Amino acid sequence: MAANEVDSTLLKLESACSDLRTLLQTSAKMGKDLEEVDKKFDSIDETLSTAAKRVAPLQSLAMAAKALETRINRAVSPALDLLHSFKLSESFQHKLIELSDKLSSEKNPTKRLQKLLKYVQCVDQLNEAINSISRDREPVIQKLQEVVEFLSRTKATDHYRTERLKETLITLRALYESEVDAMKFDGLLDEALLNLQDEFEIMLQQMKHQSIGEQQADEEAVQPVPVASELGTEMEVRVLRRIAETLAANDCLDICIDIFVKVRYRRAAKALMRLNPDYLRTYTPEEIDGMEWESLETAISLWIQHFELAVKTVFVSEKKLCKQVLGGLSDVLIWLECFVKIADKIMAVFFRFGEGVARGNREPQKLFKLLEMFDSLEKLKLEFTEIFEGESGADICIRFRELEKLLVHASSKVFWEFGLQIEGTSDGFAPPQDGSVPKLVRYAVNYLKYLTTETYSAPMAKVLRTEQMWKAGILSELETDENLLRDAISNIMEALQRHIESKSSSYKDKILPHIFVMNTHWYIYMRSRNTEVGKLLGEQYMKQKYKNVAEESAYMYQWQAWRPLVRLLEKEESEEQNTKATKAFVRGKLEAFFKCFDEISQRHAGGYSIGDADLRAQLRGATVKLVVPVYSEFLNTHLTLLSGKSYVSPESLQGLVGQVFNGTDRTGNGRLKRQDSKDRVSARNSVSVEGDLKNLRRSRSKYIDV
């Protein structure tokens, strides 16, 4: 069994050795084949190397051709676009010529505006085409330059062709530069821009301010301010705006602005010149002070009207037009600057006249015109600052405020100096010789009455408040307008009282001072009591300061003028005896009475004046009550002693007293007419006047019943 296993193993070994021999034979054969393959690969590699060496130049040429093609395509495409832009500009130029011919022949305004708008659009298109050429020419030439340099560097073509291309490129560059410059500055575009400038100016000139100066026949009449109107139609404004934008886009912005400002300034100035403001030629303080007051008064009234009209009508319209036409430009504030340029010179003329008035002399009557000017500026202040808004209008607004300050200063100075002038007239001027109310008192009362009317009281109070604020500071506690005005008026009234006291002391006649004080104080009271002056100062103040003083002066007048007459008829003890001496004495007293009465009447006729009819009537009544009862009692008491003699009846004496105060029924020399016999009564028929004689020392206020 072991032998069998050994045999089996040997058989397997033999089989394996046989396989190994077969494998060795096969390997030897494969080695030979591999050697053959290796030889073939070496041959192929040698062939490929030879082919590669032969193909390499062609490959380089192909790559160069591809690069040249790329550069040529990159240069040709923009060049074609540039040529297209040239064709467009040429077509737009032909279109411009056609539109220009149509525009010049068109007479219908509406159709002409439509054609002008198309003309502007065509100018914009031509400008865009030229800008495209100008913008693209350099990149196109640069790309062509790159192609030429590539050819020269790679020697893709011969030297001769390269040089020709370089020369052509230089010629093309010079041609582009000259052609584009000619198209922009010397060609049809430049001519079209000049035409647009002319059209722009003509259209602006045609836009006029309507309803200015149409109602100026009556210069002094207060006329309503015309409402600001549209200066052009919507189509006109649209065309002007497009022209302005086109000019600005073609480096003509400065020219556009100059045209606009020049034309619109002239139009605004001409509109205001239709108001005939010749007064504005006089503006220095010296020239204004040399004007007649009536002329100056009229000039100031016109200035107020024209200033308001300029601001509310002319400048509002001009500002709107500026914004409509120039508001679309790149600089958003340029239209405001243009508007301020238009208004600046015109406003300067108005300002210098107002400043001249404010800096002129300080006559009292000038106060009212100064207040009117100040009030008009106050009413315009808000609208003025809105019109001249922003940094552009700052200078005009500053000058406006400076004029207001001048007017406040001038108004307050005139007012306070008026009080000083009243007191200052105490020296060198005699009072009225007849005791009448002096012109200064009449003027001052009417002055204050006028000042306290609704028209002037508010601006005067504002002037006083502004002045107080300047002195005390903004944060100080200010009085009310009413208190400020009351105190100011009181100061003038007190100055007037001091003036009256000073004048009354200069009379030599002992009766005239009382007549003078009575007349003046009564005049002030009666002329002020139911006016705004009286309401402002108060009834209590007016009675205490003026009515009471007038009544006291009336009492003193009666005491000095008529009391001596009454005293002549006072009863004496010697009159009780019925003797011849007593009769002569009584008749002598009666004669002395009428002699004294005649003297009193002559003094009243020639030297005393009581101008107020109501005051005369009250004095007449009081004097009749004082004199006639005493005279009647005297006649009744001495009836027996006066028998056989005819004397003036009490009723006739009452008429004579009335003549003293009425100033009627006098002879040429001022003496009272003697009564006819029918006015004389016998002592036997004399009757007493009804009513009892009241005590002379009764309350003084009862002598003048108001």
Side-chain angles (χ1 to χ4, degrees):
M1 187 171 181
N4 289 333
E5 292 178 355
V6 171
D7 290 337
S8 177
T9 304
L10 289 174
L11 286 174
K12 290 180 180 177
L13 287 172
E14 287 178 359
S15 178
C17 288
S18 179
D19 291 337
L20 286 172
R21 283 195 295 273
T22 303
L23 181 62
L24 287 172
Q25 291 175 356
T26 303
S27 298
K29 186 178 180 181
M30 288 181 65
K32 292 179 180 179
D33 292 339
L34 288 173
E35 289 178 0
E36 291 294 328
V37 171
D38 188 50
K39 290 179 180 178
K40 289 180 180 180
F41 273 122
D42 290 340
S43 176
I44 291 171
D45 183 55
E46 184 179 353
T47 303
L48 288 174
S49 296
T50 303
K53 290 178 180 178
R54 293 176 180 177
V55 172
L58 296 176
Q59 186 178 13
S60 177
L61 289 174
M63 292 175 64
K66 186 66 176 178
L68 180 61
E69 181 184 7
T70 301
R71 283 173 170 76
I72 290 174
N73 288 336
R74 285 170 58 189
V76 168
S77 180
L80 292 175
D81 292 338
L82 186 61
L83 291 174
H84 180 67
S85 296
F86 269 108
K87 291 179 181 178
L88 280 178
S89 67
E90 187 177 0
S91 66
F92 290 142
Q93 290 182 48
H94 288 302
K95 186 177 179 181
L96 267 181
I97 295 172
E98 181 182 350
L99 286 173
S100 179
D101 294 338
K102 292 181 179 180
L103 193 63
S104 59
S105 62
E106 184 60 63
K107 302 301 180 182
N108 185 283
T110 304
K111 292 182 179 180
R112 193 176 191 282
L113 285 174
Q114 294 173 349
K115 286 183 171 59
L116 182 56
L117 188 59
K118 292 180 180 179
Y119 186 83
V120 175
Q121 292 171 345
C122 188
V123 172
D124 290 338
Q125 291 170 338
L126 176 59
N127 181 54
E128 180 59 32
I130 294 175
N131 286 338
S132 177
I133 294 171
S134 179
R135 183 176 59 251
D136 296 340
R137 67 177 181 179
E138 198 60 40
V140 168
I141 293 175
Q142 182 64 34
K143 287 181 175 60
L144 292 174
Q145 178 72 33
E146 291 175 0
V147 173
V148 173
E149 290 177 355
F150 181 81
L151 290 173
S152 177
R153 185 174 63 253
T154 59
K155 297 180 181 180
T157 185
D158 57 73
H159 178 72
Y160 174 73
R161 289 181 178 178
T162 302
E163 290 300 320
R164 282 183 58 191
L165 285 173
K166 288 182 179 179
E167 292 175 0
T168 303
L169 188 62
I170 293 171
T171 303
L172 183 62
R173 184 189 295 274
L175 179 64
Y176 273 164
E177 290 178 352
S178 60
E179 182 67 19
V180 171
D181 288 344
M183 290 172 69
K184 290 187 71 173
F185 304 113
D186 297 321
L188 195 59
L189 176 62
D190 184 65
E191 183 180 344
L193 292 174
L194 292 175
N195 290 338
L196 287 183
Q197 292 172 22
D198 294 338
E199 293 288 344
F200 191 66
E201 184 171 356
I202 291 171
M203 289 184 67
L204 288 173
Q205 286 177 341
Q206 291 173 346
M207 292 181 172
K208 301 178 182 180
H209 291 274
Q210 305 298 328
S211 69
I212 303 293
E214 296 178 355
Q215 301 176 345
Q216 297 297 319
D218 186 0
E219 293 183 345
E220 295 187 2
V222 178
Q223 301 170 2
V225 177
V227 178
S229 59
E230 297 287 345
L231 292 176
T233 64
E234 184 178 351
M235 186 64 176
E236 288 172 333
V237 171
R238 181 185 173 191
V239 172
L240 283 172
R241 186 183 182 95
R242 287 297 307 276
I243 292 176
E245 292 171 350
T246 299
L247 292 175
N250 286 273
D251 298 327
C252 297
L253 179 59
D254 291 342
I255 297 174
C256 173
I257 291 173
D258 288 342
I259 293 173
F260 190 93
V261 172
K262 177 187 69 176
V263 174
R264 292 318 306 166
Y265 164 73
R266 290 177 179 174
R267 270 292 157 216
K270 284 184 179 180
L272 293 172
M273 287 301 293
R274 293 204 295 269
L275 303 174
N276 299 320
D278 294 334
Y279 63 91
L280 292 175
R281 302 178 188 276
T282 304
Y283 55 87
T284 65
E286 295 76 18
E287 291 175 331
I288 288 176
D289 290 344
M291 293 176 66
E292 294 290 334
W293 169 246
E294 290 77 10
S295 301
L296 178 59
E297 192 175 20
T298 302
I300 294 174
S301 298
L302 290 175
W303 180 89
I304 293 170
Q305 294 178 26
H306 297 169
F307 191 96
E308 183 180 5
L309 185 143
V311 173
K312 288 187 174 182
T313 304
V314 176
F315 292 147
V316 167
S317 298
E318 290 294 341
K319 183 179 180 181
K320 187 174 183 179
L321 182 64
C322 281
K323 186 173 183 179
Q324 289 174 330
V325 175
L326 305 177
L329 301 181
S330 57
D331 190 345
V332 294
L333 295 179
I334 199 166
W335 68 272
L336 268 177
E337 295 174 0
C338 291
F339 166 66
V340 171
K341 288 180 181 179
I342 293 169
D344 184 57
K345 291 182 180 179
I346 297 174
M347 290 307 305
V349 175
F350 280 106
F351 283 141
R352 72 183 185 183
F353 177 83
E355 291 163 356
V357 172
R359 290 191 173 104
N361 59 30
R362 295 164 181 164
E363 297 177 354
Q365 70 271 19
K366 197 174 179 181
L367 174 62
F368 302 103
K369 285 302 174 183
L370 291 172
L371 291 176
E372 287 178 15
M373 293 172 70
F374 173 72
D375 190 45
S376 68
L377 294 186
E378 279 293 296
K379 292 176 180 177
L380 279 174
K381 182 184 291 186
L382 180 60
E383 191 168 358
F384 192 91
T385 53
E386 289 177 353
I387 292 173
F388 296 98
E389 60 183 313
E391 186 178 351
S392 303
D395 290 340
I396 291 182
C397 289
I398 288 173
R399 196 162 181 185
F400 180 90
R401 290 193 295 270
E402 288 299 322
L403 177 57
E404 271 201 309
K405 290 179 182 178
L406 282 175
L407 291 172
V408 168
H409 180 73
S411 300
S412 63
K413 285 291 184 182
V414 170
F415 180 77
W416 295 121
E417 287 184 9
F418 178 57
L420 296 176
Q421 289 173 8
I422 290 174
E423 291 194 70
T425 55
S426 299
D427 300 328
F429 294 93
Q433 295 302 308
D434 57 358
S436 59
V437 180
K439 292 181 179 179
L440 177 60
V441 173
R442 297 176 185 273
Y443 181 83
V445 171
N446 290 327
Y447 189 90
L448 295 179
K449 284 170 59 179
Y450 202 46
L451 183 61
T452 52
T453 57
E454 184 179 357
T455 304
Y456 299 105
S457 59
M460 186 70 235
K462 191 160 190 177
V463 164
L464 295 171
R465 187 174 68 253
T466 305
E467 183 190 34
Q468 186 188 49
M469 187 171 60
W470 287 348
K471 292 178 179 179
I474 299 177
L475 300 178
S476 60
E477 185 176 353
L478 302 177
E479 296 185 36
T480 63
D481 288 357
E482 185 176 355
N483 289 339
L484 283 171
L485 190 59
R486 182 188 299 111
D487 293 343
I489 297 296
S490 298
N491 287 334
I492 301 296
M493 298 289 275
E494 289 171 5
L496 193 58
Q497 276 190 302
R498 290 191 292 271
H499 169 79
I500 294 171
E501 292 172 3
S502 175
K503 291 297 181 183
S504 65
S505 63
S506 63
Y507 284 109
K508 295 180 179 179
D509 187 307
K510 63 180 181 179
I511 298 175
L512 274 174
H514 305 303
I515 294 177
F516 177 72
V517 173
M518 175 184 66
N519 280 333
T520 51
H521 283 73
W522 186 255
Y523 178 87
I524 294 172
Y525 176 72
M526 293 301 294
R527 295 299 186 277
S528 305
R529 58 180 299 196
N530 292 323
T531 66
E532 295 300 324
V533 174
K535 295 176 183 177
L536 185 67
L537 297 177
E539 182 65 19
Q540 187 64 29
Y541 177 93
M542 295 302 298
K543 285 184 177 180
Q544 181 181 354
K545 292 285 186 178
Y546 301 103
K547 183 182 178 184
N548 292 349
V549 174
E551 291 174 346
E552 290 173 0
S553 299
Y555 173 81
M556 294 305 299
Y557 154 74
Q558 281 195 323
W559 184 264
Q560 294 287 345
W562 297 99
R563 180 59 183 168
L565 179 67
V566 174
R567 196 179 293 118
L568 290 174
L569 298 182
E570 289 181 350
K571 187 175 181 181
E572 299 181 11
E573 294 180 359
S574 60
E575 296 177 16
E576 296 179 358
Q577 300 176 3
N578 191 3
T579 62
K580 288 184 178 181
T582 303
K583 185 182 294 187
F585 179 73
V586 170
R587 290 179 179 179
K589 289 182 68 172
L590 202 56
E591 291 293 334
F593 174 85
F594 280 105
K595 182 179 180 181
C596 181
F597 183 87
D598 197 41
E599 291 174 355
I600 293 173
S601 66
Q602 288 183 50
R603 284 200 299 269
H604 278 77
Y608 301 158
S609 173
I610 303 173
D612 187 85
D614 183 56
L615 180 60
R616 284 201 312 272
Q618 294 183 60
L619 287 174
R620 179 173 61 246
T623 304
V624 166
K625 292 178 181 179
L626 175 66
V627 175
V628 174
V630 174
Y631 178 75
S632 179
E633 183 181 359
F634 181 84
L635 289 182
N636 291 334
T637 302
H638 302 93
L639 186 62
T640 57
L641 296 175
L642 296 174
S643 60
K645 291 286 289 184
S646 296
Y647 296 100
V648 176
S649 66
E651 291 81 1
S652 298
L653 179 61
Q654 182 175 345
L656 293 174
V657 172
Q659 290 180 32
V660 171
F661 290 98
N662 291 338
T664 58
D665 197 21
R666 299 180 183 275
T667 61
N669 60 2
R671 296 172 63 90
L672 291 173
K673 289 184 179 180
R674 287 300 180 186
Q675 302 300 309
D676 297 332
S677 59
K678 65 181 180 179
D679 294 323
R680 295 176 178 273
V681 296
S682 171
R684 297 188 300 270
N685 300 326
S686 178
V687 294
S688 63
V689 177
E690 295 181 358
D692 298 331
L693 177 61
K694 295 185 179 180
N695 190 345
L696 184 62
R697 297 186 180 274
R698 60 186 172 175
S699 173
R700 297 178 183 177
S701 62
K702 294 181 181 178
Y703 280 89
I704 302 177
D705 301 324
V706 180

